[in-house]
Amino acid sequence: MWNNDIISCVKGGFAMSYQALYRKYRPKDLTEVYGQHVVVNILKNAVKNNKFGHAYLFTGSRGCGKTSVAKILARMVNCENVEDGKLCGKCASCIAS
């Protein structure tokens, strides 16, 4: 089974690993998201007040951070100890992701 994060290949007898740049530099929490201040503030307030909508629709051109923000939101919803838009990194959900 192939792992999507790291692809190992043999080239000239040496094993090499490659990680795609969009996975390497993807923001880990809302404080690292650049250029989406309105979206970040809306999501931080939703987390702070513990009031989430039943659905969020992320739209925009390619490369604006739709998938990154959606993944961060999913992690924040599942985290047990979110503090001001930052994941705790200690609960079982944060460790698993």
Side-chain angles (χ1 to χ4, degrees):
M1 182 61 66
W2 286 96
N3 185 351
N4 289 337
D5 292 337
I6 298 174
I7 299 173
S8 296
C9 61
V10 177
K11 185 175 185 179
F14 298 103
M16 298 171 51
S17 65
Y18 174 75
Q19 185 175 19
L21 291 177
Y22 70 91
R23 291 188 188 270
K24 184 176 182 180
Y25 296 109
R26 180 168 295 204
K28 304 294 184 215
D29 58 18
L30 288 178
T31 59
E32 297 177 2
V33 176
Y34 179 77
Q36 300 293 334
H37 304 293
V38 175
V39 173
V40 168
N41 287 334
I42 290 170
L43 294 179
K44 278 185 179 180
N45 288 333
V47 171
K48 189 186 306 181
N49 297 328
N50 200 21
K51 293 189 178 193
F52 298 100
H54 70 281
Y56 289 91
L57 184 63
F58 296 102
T59 62
S61 60
R62 190 177 84 185
C64 67
K66 301 177 296 289
T67 302
S68 296
V69 172
K71 286 183 176 206
I72 293 168
L73 179 62
R75 281 190 231 126
M76 289 173 63
V77 168
N78 291 323
C79 181
E80 297 169 4
N81 304 314
V82 177
E83 299 171 2
D84 193 35
K86 288 190 174 184
L87 301 169
C88 69
K90 299 174 185 173
C91 66
S93 176
C94 288
I95 293 171
S97 64

